Each structure stands twice: as structure tokens, then as C-alpha cells.
Amino acid sequence: MKKVSVSGKDRGSAVNGDRRMQDFNYLYSNCFEITLELSCDKFPAASALPREWLANREALVSYLEQVHHGIKGIIYDENNNPVGKAEISVSGVNHDVTSGADGDYFRLLLPGTYTVTASAAGYLPSTTTVTVGPAEAILLNFYLKPAPKQSLKVKPHKRNLSSHKAPLKLGPR
């Protein structure tokens, strides 16, 4: 590949303060967005595109194949219904991902052994250890059990009217 760069300030990227759209998409939507710049020519002629494709095809395809590393799966409840908006966290990695509406998720990880937790509102978290290899993503489904209902009765707060204080008079505005 001639030149690869994640968009910088001087390359016309969408800037949000000191952050880029790639940062926003990764942090808030589980989306990996990149900008590849393959030559110094910003607007190459159409006749040059086949040459650029042939010069970079293998590197680009190899790069795309990297999305198949890590873990992927579906978060289910105990009745095999998908759980959307579940958080999948990896111990030691400071970025959680969120399952889609159908409970599906993916998490890119380098080869290694990880402790992974799936959690969702109203469910007990589920944690497991998984070893990720250098090949295909590991299929890792989670089955969440409902959290126990809280049976504590909360007593209503009674206001003590005898300790009512008059508001402070702070003078004219």
C-alpha cells in the first residue's frame, strides 16, 4: 500500500473539537470507521482507478479480513429471546460494546485469553473466560437470568412540619 492514514486535522476529516468522527463512531456506536488515502492525488482520474485497485487490492482485502478476529455472538435471556442493548465488557479493556436490537454483538480482540461479561438492565451479569486465537472469531453466546425482584418495602418519607424554616431573605435583586 502506498500510503495509509487515519484522517488527521489537515486531511479534511470531520473534526469535533480535538476528536474525529472515527473516535465518535467507535466510542458511541460500536462502528469502526476509517479513511484510507492511497495516493497523493486527492482526485485521481477514472482511468487511474484500476491501477490503484490492483496496486492495493491484497493489502485492502487483508485489512478487511481482520474484522473476523475476536469474539461474536448473541445475548439471550433464559427463554432464548434476544436481549438488545446489553453491554459486553472485557476485563482490562476500557471500551464496552453494546448488543444490537436482536442481541447480536462483535468485539475485535487480539489473540489471548480474556474475561468477558455480558450485562443488561433487569438481568444478572454473566461472566466467562475465552481464549481468542489468530483465526476466525470465537462464537460466544451469553444466556442472562432475570435479576431477583426486590421485595424490600420502602417506607414513605414523612415530612417533619415542625422543623419548617422560612426562606432566607437575601435583599433586592
Side-chain angles (χ1 to χ4, degrees):
M1 220 183 280
K2 292 179 185 169
K3 178 178 160 188
V4 176
S5 103
V6 175
S7 282
K9 289 181 183 178
D10 60 336
R11 300 185 189 272
S13 65
V15 177
N16 178 5
D18 286 331
R19 299 246 185 210
R20 316 290 179 277
M21 275 307 289
Q22 290 94 344
D23 297 331
F24 176 84
N25 286 335
Y26 174 68
L27 292 172
Y28 299 105
S29 71
N30 298 344
C31 177
F32 292 100
E33 180 181 311
I34 63 161
T35 299
L36 291 176
E37 297 175 7
L38 302 176
S39 76
C40 295
D41 189 355
K42 190 78 165 172
F43 301 103
S47 61
L49 294 179
R51 184 181 65 243
E52 290 294 336
W53 169 247
L54 290 174
N56 294 286
R57 175 179 55 196
E58 290 302 316
L60 290 169
V61 170
S62 178
Y63 181 77
L64 291 173
E65 289 173 340
Q66 299 304 306
V67 302
H68 297 292
H69 293 235
I71 57 175
K72 63 182 178 180
I74 300 178
I75 313 299
Y76 295 104
D77 67 11
E78 64 183 3
N79 297 315
N80 290 327
N81 297 311
V83 178
K85 296 185 179 179
E87 285 190 1
I88 297 82
S89 59
V90 178
S91 181
V93 177
N94 192 20
H95 178 74
D96 297 342
V97 295
T98 306
S99 67
D102 294 327
D104 60 309
Y105 78 94
F106 66 93
R107 180 70 175 91
L108 294 176
L109 293 169
L110 293 173
T113 301
Y114 299 92
T115 302
V116 183
T117 301
S119 58
Y123 296 93
L124 295 172
S126 176
T127 301
T128 190
T129 300
V130 63
T131 299
V132 175
E136 295 290 317
I138 302 296
L139 181 61
L140 183 61
N141 295 328
F142 285 91
Y143 295 87
L144 301 182
K145 296 181 180 180
K149 303 276 188 252
Q150 295 295 333
S151 60
L152 299 174
K153 293 184 180 178
V154 178
K155 295 180 182 178
H157 179 70
K158 292 184 180 179
R159 200 169 147 198
N160 185 350
L161 297 177
S162 63
S163 65
H164 178 70
K165 296 180 181 178
L168 293 174
K169 293 186 180 180
L170 300 175
R173 291 186 183 188

